[in-house]
Amino acid sequence: GMVAHDVSAAHPFAQEIGWAVRHRLVLVHADGSFRPSRPARRQELVLALHRAIGSPAPAGRAPFHDVQDWHPSVEALAWAAGAGVVRGMPDGTFRPSQPVTRQ
């Protein structure tokens, strides 16, 4: 069946999106849509990767100037930086709200 009302079986990434939704790595919106072309934020991608491997605790703090301890993604971003999954920008920021495409 369909993963979301806007992702048919013919969508080029239907299997991958379906797998990610079933494993709760990414979520379907409240209206039942996935919105595969909607820009996502960098922090959303890191959160999905963090969930995918079981949400391990970070080894240290997030080393980015624009990610404070109260940031909702601070634990995932700290893990990702410590594990070498992500790097910041040359100015020491991560820019968690900068867009990427969800697909």
Side-chain angles (χ1 to χ4, degrees):
M2 288 185 7
V3 173
H5 66 71
D6 59 346
V7 179
S8 72
H11 188 282
F13 298 112
Q15 282 189 306
E16 292 85 353
I17 292 169
W19 177 86
V21 168
R22 280 192 304 281
H23 288 88
R24 300 197 48 78
L25 304 181
V26 294
L27 306 176
V28 172
H29 294 275
D31 67 359
S33 67
F34 181 74
R35 304 176 197 163
S37 297
R38 176 187 68 81
R41 296 172 302 206
R42 288 167 50 89
Q43 67 186 358
E44 290 178 278
L45 179 59
V46 171
L47 282 168
L49 293 172
H50 189 236
R51 286 184 200 126
I53 63 163
S55 302
R61 296 175 59 141
F64 310 115
H65 302 308
D66 59 344
V67 179
Q68 284 73 33
D69 288 340
W70 50 262
H71 192 282
S73 303
V74 69
E75 193 169 304
L77 290 169
W79 161 78
V85 174
V86 297
R87 290 183 303 202
M89 303 298 173
D91 66 359
T93 62
F94 182 71
R95 301 180 194 165
S97 296
Q98 187 171 323
V100 295
T101 62
R102 290 177 53 130
Q103 41 190 0

